[in-house]
């Protein structure tokens, strides 16, 4: 049954009852919780979870776009270096992290709105990446977008994602490998749960 598979799937790699590869994420997170204590432990756990989330979210966005955009797939197949460019543009367009909560450390003002110290803020990276005052045609995937448009897909400044380069590399290598193998990209309809 699904419950026993889920329990065994947390201890080792395997296949789900539906034939999907099962990764032991709960085991990794659980082990990190036991190994990492206090403030440094929270940072450790954040790195473990965020390191998998960024790659997983980015991979899903890229593969979904390739499966639904035959023109993009054809360009990537004909010109493999385009894969890295497409990934960067998809990071901007489909930010692996849509946003994060932050706490204002000092009284400040943003866009004419007073923000008191201690206020909880939700920074929406996905929204910032589609700001038409910064990005020309923000809702369009453009492989020739000029590099001066720096996106927020992995955060910014001291909160920039530590694993951004790793996530980019992992996704680029995976997509190039799939393309070189000649595998088809297609969406599979969801199975009825009944």
């Amino acid at each position: 049954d699904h419950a026993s598979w889920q329990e065994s799937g947390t201890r080792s790699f395997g296949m789900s009852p539906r034939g999907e590869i099962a990764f032991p994420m709960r085991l990794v997170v659980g082990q990190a919780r036991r190994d990492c204590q206090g403030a440094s432990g929270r940072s450790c756990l954040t790195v473990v979870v965020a390191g998998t989330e960024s790659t997983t979210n980015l991979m899903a966005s890229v593969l979904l776009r390739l499966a639904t955009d035959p023109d993009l797939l054809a360009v990537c197949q004909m010109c493999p270096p385009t894969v890295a460019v497409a990934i960067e543009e998809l990071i901007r367009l489909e930010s692996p992290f849509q946003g994060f909560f932050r706490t204002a450390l000092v009284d400040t003002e943003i866009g004419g709105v007073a923000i008191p110290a201690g206020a909880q803020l939700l920074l929406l990276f996905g929204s910032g990446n589609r700001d038409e005052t910064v990005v020309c045609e923000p809702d369009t995937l453009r492989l020739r977008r000029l590099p001066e448009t720096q996106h927020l897909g992995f955060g910014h400044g001291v909160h920039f994602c530590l694993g951004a380069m790793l996530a980019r590399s992992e996704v680029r290598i995976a997509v190039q490998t799939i393309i070189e193998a000649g595998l088809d990209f297609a969406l599979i309809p969801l199975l009825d749960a009944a």
Side-chain angles (χ1 to χ4, degrees), residues 48-120:
V48 169
V49 174
T52 57
E53 283 290 313
S54 58
T55 304
T56 301
N57 293 346
L58 179 56
M59 180 70 78
S61 293
V62 170
L63 292 179
L64 176 63
R65 187 59 179 247
L66 289 171
T68 58
D69 188 338
D71 293 336
L72 177 62
L73 178 57
V75 168
C76 289
Q77 289 169 327
M78 289 185 293
C79 183
T82 305
V83 170
V85 175
I87 288 169
E88 201 62 32
E89 177 66 352
L90 285 166
I91 292 169
R92 182 199 63 79
L93 196 61
E94 305 292 341
S95 303
F97 296 106
Q98 289 296 307
F100 270 107
F101 285 99
R102 295 289 180 244
T103 303
L105 298 178
V106 297
D107 291 342
T108 191
E109 186 176 302
I110 301 174
V113 176
I115 309 290
Q120 294 292 308

Side-chain angles (χ1 to χ4, degrees), residues 24-54 97 100 161-163:
M25 180 48 58
R26 287 197 320 183
L27 175 65
V28 170
V29 172
Q31 186 64 42
R33 283 188 182 131
R34 285 188 295 280
D35 292 346
C36 303
Q37 303 297 320
S40 62
R42 286 188 295 278
S43 293
C44 176
L45 186 57
T46 297
V47 168
V48 169
V49 174
T52 57
E53 283 290 313
S54 58
F97 296 106
F100 270 107
C161 176
L162 294 174

Side-chain angles (χ1 to χ4, degrees), residues 100-104 118-123 125 159-160:
F100 270 107
F101 285 99
R102 295 289 180 244
T103 303
Q120 294 292 308
L121 305 171
L122 175 57
L123 308 180
F125 302 146
H159 295 291
F160 187 75

Side-chain angles (χ1 to χ4, degrees), residues 115-135:
I115 309 290
Q120 294 292 308
L121 305 171
L122 175 57
L123 308 180
L124 295 173
F125 302 146
S127 178
N129 283 335
R130 291 177 182 237
D131 183 345
E132 61 278 351
T133 65
V134 177
V135 180

Side-chain angles (χ1 to χ4, degrees), residues 73 77 175-185:
L73 178 57
Q77 289 169 327
V175 170
Q176 286 176 332
T177 301
I178 291 168
I179 287 174
E180 288 170 7
L183 301 176
D184 289 330
F185 285 84

